[in-house]
Amino acid sequence: MAAATASSLVSYGSGSDSDNEYATAHLKPLQPGKTLALSILNPAPEVAVKESVETGTHLDPLLKEVSFNPTFETMFAPEFGPSNPFTTQQLAAPRNMLSGYAEPAHVNDFMFEQQRRTFATFGYALDPSVDTHQVSSVSYIGAVDEAEKNKGLTVFESYQKKTDKRKKVQGGDAGEIDNFLGPWAKYVDEKNIAKPTEEEKKELDEITAKRQKRGRKEEEAPAEEKTILHVKDMYDYQGRSYLHIPQDVGINLRSTDAPDKCYLPKKQIHVWSGHTKGVSAIRLFPRSGHLLLSCSMDCKIKLWEVYGERRCIRTFIGHSKAVRDICFNNSGTQFLSAGYDRYLKLWDSETGQCISRFTNRKVPYCVKFNPDEDKQSLFVAGMSDKKIVQWDIRTGEVVQEYDRHLGAVNTITFVDENRRFVSTSDDKSLRVWEWDIPVDFKYIAEPSMHSMPAVTLSPNGKWLACQSMDNQILIFGAQNRFRLNKKKVFKGHMVAGYACQVDFSPDMSYVVSGDADGKLNVWDWKTTKLYHRIKAHDKVCISALWHPHETSKVITCGWDGQIKLWD
């Protein structure tokens, strides 16, 4: 076998005769049991080669099984090549973490955390290198003086108990000690009575009075009603009162026809001033519009002339708080008023007498007579307790309650030849009801909808204009489906937070509304463009009415207490 190996090695020579002769001369048949030295055949310089696995000086890292016991040096010898002569002693030392070799120490987690917190708080801790079991004295690291001062207290031991300011009477058994009052005795410095000051006594009296009244509803006595006539003669030479429709104003107020063409109002032609606080609502006399009724936050209701001298005819006084809403009956001989004093009052328009009063101990936000001629004795009111309440003025009793809204009811509007009515509420919904049926048959509420505290029916009865609290006027169909008309959205004014009343021109060509800045805004109905804007009031312009018989007369009222006529 060796001879074959030697002969095969010769074939890898240079091929020259001299080389072959040299090789043949030096290669002799090997004796049995002898090995051939590789140094004879390898002309390259000697390289330090690790010994074989059997010698125990090198282990292949890919080896799965070792058949002998390797030494420590063998196990930790570098995998390839010689060791780095530039490695420092620290790096050459065995390590089990980045910074060196950490010896395992058996320390309780709580003790370690205790000493760490103590060092962070007080600046000292027990010396961990000293074994306290072998050395009797305790040594510290860090602020040693502080440790001696605190007697080595840790953060968990440093709390000193406060001395009790109030100590109980010391004593043991009742038989052994005199004056022992038992375990529930009072403190030594405890007083039986602490006399309240005069201010505290007043507060206590108020609280006790409220507690006694709670659960017992007391009806507030209605304010005394009275009226003031501001004109000299209530009747003319023919015995006709101011309710009689005048015939000398240039237009036929008895006509039911609307003007053919309406125009934009341009200038202010009159101011009705008499209210001392903001005006809440204004209503024109039914059909003719020759009289104007206004209610105010000064608790008064006033009746004004629209034509002629435009005087204040009569003042109605009977509410103890601000008046929120008013509504004429069909003939205009009577009207209802709703006040924050929780009373609804029925007044005679001619004499000023308060005919009757109604209350259910809730604030009425809006009130409406049923417009049908055969139902003029019935009216509905939207209340603060989420209900719509129906009264009969003949008996003074509640005859129906519509209780489906989830917030205070803001408006009630009759539609569809007065067979139905639409209500809006603070719950941001619109509900449609059949008269006298207390379940809404249509409920409109979208996530994008806002509260709509002012709603007006168009003169042709087809549309509902709703003042939305996101500074828009939305138009809903008032027939059958009550769908939102997305093409008719009137924008450009600021009304957020105010129930500014909307109105239409009689020929349905314009939409008018006040806003929070006191401006009167006029939009074109077809294009929804904002045509005109007038600075009408110093404060909020809360209502705008277009006279039903005039081509360009608009009446506005505001929280500055004034009512203005524009033409």
Side-chain angles (χ1 to χ4, degrees), residues 78-299:
E79 290 183 8
F80 300 104
S83 59
N84 185 3
F86 302 104
T87 306
T88 61
Q89 187 179 358
Q90 184 181 0
L91 287 173
R95 295 186 295 168
N96 62 356
M97 58 189 297
L98 193 64
S99 58
Y101 187 83
E103 294 181 359
H106 298 285
V107 180
N108 190 332
D109 287 341
F110 173 76
M111 291 296 294
F112 179 84
E113 188 65 18
Q114 181 190 52
Q115 293 302 321
R116 188 189 69 78
R117 289 191 183 182
T118 304
F119 189 82
T121 307
F122 299 123
Y124 64 84
L126 287 171
D127 189 350
S129 61
V130 178
D131 190 355
T132 54
H133 295 288
Q134 297 177 359
V135 183
S136 59
S137 61
V138 180
S139 61
Y140 296 95
I141 56 170
V144 180
D145 297 338
E146 192 72 19
E148 292 175 355
K149 181 181 176 183
N150 291 343
K151 297 179 182 178
L153 288 175
T154 64
V155 285
F156 298 107
E157 301 167 342
S158 60
Y159 176 77
Q160 295 180 356
K161 289 184 178 179
K162 294 180 181 178
T163 55
D164 292 334
K165 290 182 180 178
R166 301 189 301 173
K167 292 183 179 179
K168 284 193 172 184
V169 177
Q170 294 180 353
D173 191 14
E176 298 174 3
I177 300 169
D178 295 334
N179 301 323
F180 179 65
L181 302 176
W184 309 110
K186 294 178 180 178
Y187 291 103
V188 174
D189 56 349
E190 187 173 340
K191 294 180 181 178
N192 282 340
I193 299 169
K195 195 173 183 180
T197 61
E198 291 183 5
E199 292 180 1
E200 290 175 341
K201 194 172 183 180
K202 283 182 182 178
E203 289 179 9
L204 287 169
D205 291 342
E206 287 177 7
I207 292 166
T208 52
K210 283 180 182 177
R211 282 180 181 170
Q212 288 171 359
K213 287 180 182 178
R214 189 175 293 166
R216 191 177 65 199
K217 291 183 179 178
E218 291 184 3
E219 282 192 35
E220 291 182 17
E224 183 186 353
E225 296 90 6
K226 59 181 181 178
T227 181
I228 302 168
L229 184 67
H230 299 284
V231 292
K232 200 171 188 180
D233 297 318
M234 187 173 163
Y235 302 99
D236 63 3
Y237 67 98
Q238 288 185 335
R240 299 175 301 189
S241 73
Y242 48 77
L243 298 184
H244 177 74
I245 300 170
Q247 297 177 0
D248 56 349
V249 294
I251 56 170
N252 184 9
L253 296 179
R254 297 177 185 272
S255 172
T256 56
D257 298 331
D260 296 331
K261 177 86 173 111
C262 289
Y263 304 94
L264 292 173
K266 295 288 176 65
K267 61 181 180 180
Q268 173 187 314
I269 59 172
H270 187 71
V271 179
W272 289 283
S273 55
H275 287 294
T276 56
K277 290 184 181 178
V279 181
S280 305
I282 49 175
R283 299 284 182 267
L284 284 166
F285 196 81
R287 293 192 180 93
S288 64
H290 73 286
L291 297 175
L292 178 72
L293 190 68
S294 67
C295 63
S296 170
M297 299 174 195
D298 61 6
C299 314

Side-chain angles (χ1 to χ4, degrees), residues 67-82:
S67 58
F68 66 98
N69 290 333
T71 62
F72 178 84
E73 289 78 12
T74 305
M75 292 287 286
F76 288 93
E79 290 183 8
F80 300 104

Side-chain angles (χ1 to χ4, degrees), residues 36-55:
L36 181 67
L38 289 175
S39 60
I40 300 170
L41 301 174
N42 193 359
E46 292 187 6
V47 179
V49 180
K50 287 200 174 184
E51 296 180 18
S52 62
V53 173
E54 286 77 7
T55 61

Side-chain angles (χ1 to χ4, degrees), residues 275 278-284 292-297 300-302 304 323-327 338 365 499 501 542-545 556-559 563:
H275 287 294
V279 181
S280 305
I282 49 175
R283 299 284 182 267
L284 284 166
L292 178 72
L293 190 68
S294 67
C295 63
S296 170
M297 299 174 195
K300 296 175 184 176
I301 304 160
K302 290 180 180 286
W304 315 80
V323 186
R324 167 78 185 230
D325 196 19
I326 44 178
C327 180
Y365 281 173
Q501 194 66 42
I542 202 69
S543 184
L545 288 180
T556 63
C557 67
W559 283 8
I563 305 165

